[in-house]
Amino acid sequence: MSDSAQQAKAQKKAYDEACKRVLSERGIMAHILKACTEEFKDCDLQDIAQRYIQGEPSISRIAVEPEAISPRIESEQTEDKSGAEGTVYYDIRFHAVAPVDGRLIQLIINLEAQNDFNPGYPLLKRAVYYCGRMISSQYGTVFVKSHYEKIQKVYSIWICTMPTKKWEYNISSYQLTEKHLIGYTQAERSHYDLINIVLVCLGSKSHKQLKGILRLLNMLLLDNISSQEKQELLSKEFNVTMTPHLEKGVAAMCNLSEGIERRGERRGEKRGWNLGKQDDVLEMLKDGVPFEKISQYTKLSLEAIADIAKQNKLI
């Protein structure tokens, strides 16, 4: 791998880590939970942040894939191997309690920041698998033997920054529901309502054109404005407490984003960008330039760029 490719890869990795750390701030997670979950929709943001989110979130530390099971009540699985693919980790995973019908219920929540909306498989199937793993991994940590009544509900929430046009600015939820084939007897909802997937799709608009959680996330993750502007908006408009950790994360995201963008612009200027040429796209892909930027410089669709990447086994 060339020095420039290594630099681009390291820069992208650093940006992804900064993004995950910003999303794992309690004030940001509180907005996401209020907008994306039924349990928290009527809760005060400060209550969600300070009372209901439990402990510190795990960032890229809890593995998705299974390992040999042994009883570990009230402990977390921290590493897991997946054969030839190595270890795959949840971006962010944390616990929360939610007020439901006058009592607190336990939730396990996974939050993913996803740039590639078409990674070569349906993203929803990956989300279903993540939920399945969060359910099955509770054996030996939350319950043992046949105590299935202790299973906790899980959420997998995906923040998709570069969806296709038809998915832009959609928030969609998927869960288990009851359907009667014969008869009308109803089961208690809490007995089957244990898996919930949410796709939050952003896009190419400015945050000024949006409202609510889409406005917040678009501004935070995509808008090309200064770190100071983002911090002021978070504090004044969204009432997010600006901790030193959050300030550093936002500043790092802005600096790294500018560096990636300048790198792509310099490469485009140097090569003159013969529009549509596959070698141009391949060079940017190898340098770790995001699909959206490649599309901007080459005028190719995201689907065309994804096809080139797949044909050359780059995704």
Side-chain angles (χ1 to χ4, degrees), residues 31-134:
H31 276 276
I32 293 172
L33 292 182
K34 185 173 178 66
C36 298
T37 70
E38 182 178 351
E39 288 84 0
F40 294 109
K41 66 180 180 180
D42 297 321
C43 294
D44 177 77
L45 285 167
Q46 289 300 316
D47 282 345
I48 299 172
Q50 302 303 324
R51 293 177 55 193
Y52 298 138
I53 294 174
Q54 305 287 291
E56 293 299 318
S58 295
I59 305 171
S60 299
R61 288 195 294 111
I62 298 180
V64 175
E65 302 295 337
E67 64 175 354
I69 295 172
S70 59
R72 297 180 304 279
I73 297 297
E74 300 304 326
S75 66
E76 284 285 5
Q77 175 182 334
T78 57
E79 183 172 319
D80 213 336
K81 299 296 180 184
S82 173
E85 294 185 2
T87 304
V88 179
Y89 298 95
Y90 298 101
D91 279 359
I92 302 164
R93 192 172 127 167
F94 60 98
H95 292 259
V97 293
V100 177
D101 297 331
R103 63 189 180 94
L104 294 177
I105 66 167
Q106 295 281 339
L107 302 173
I108 301 173
I109 300 166
N110 161 231
L111 182 59
E112 297 285 323
Q114 182 72 14
N115 291 326
D116 191 353
F117 198 68
N118 292 302
Y121 51 79
L123 199 59
L124 265 175
K125 286 194 174 184
R126 180 176 170 189
V128 170
Y129 176 69
Y130 276 32
C131 283
R133 281 294 303 129
M134 285 191 287

Side-chain angles (χ1 to χ4, degrees), residues 165-178:
K165 282 292 181 183
K166 73 175 184 178
W167 278 93
E168 279 191 342
Y169 302 109
N170 276 278
I171 300 179
S172 303
S173 177
Y174 307 85
Q175 59 273 316
L176 295 176
T177 59
E178 184 177 56

Side-chain angles (χ1 to χ4, degrees), residues 184-223:
Y184 302 98
T185 301
Q186 291 184 322
E188 185 174 329
R189 185 178 175 186
S190 63
H191 293 174
Y192 62 84
D193 182 27
L194 294 171
I195 289 177
N196 200 305
I197 297 163
V198 183
L199 296 186
V200 181
C201 298
L202 306 179
S204 55
K205 294 180 180 179
S206 163
H207 76 279
K208 296 177 181 179
Q209 301 171 268
L210 305 167
K211 296 180 180 179
I213 191 63
L214 294 175
R215 180 180 175 92
L216 168 61
L217 293 174
N218 215 91
M219 177 276 293
L220 185 61
L221 302 179
L222 295 178
D223 277 17

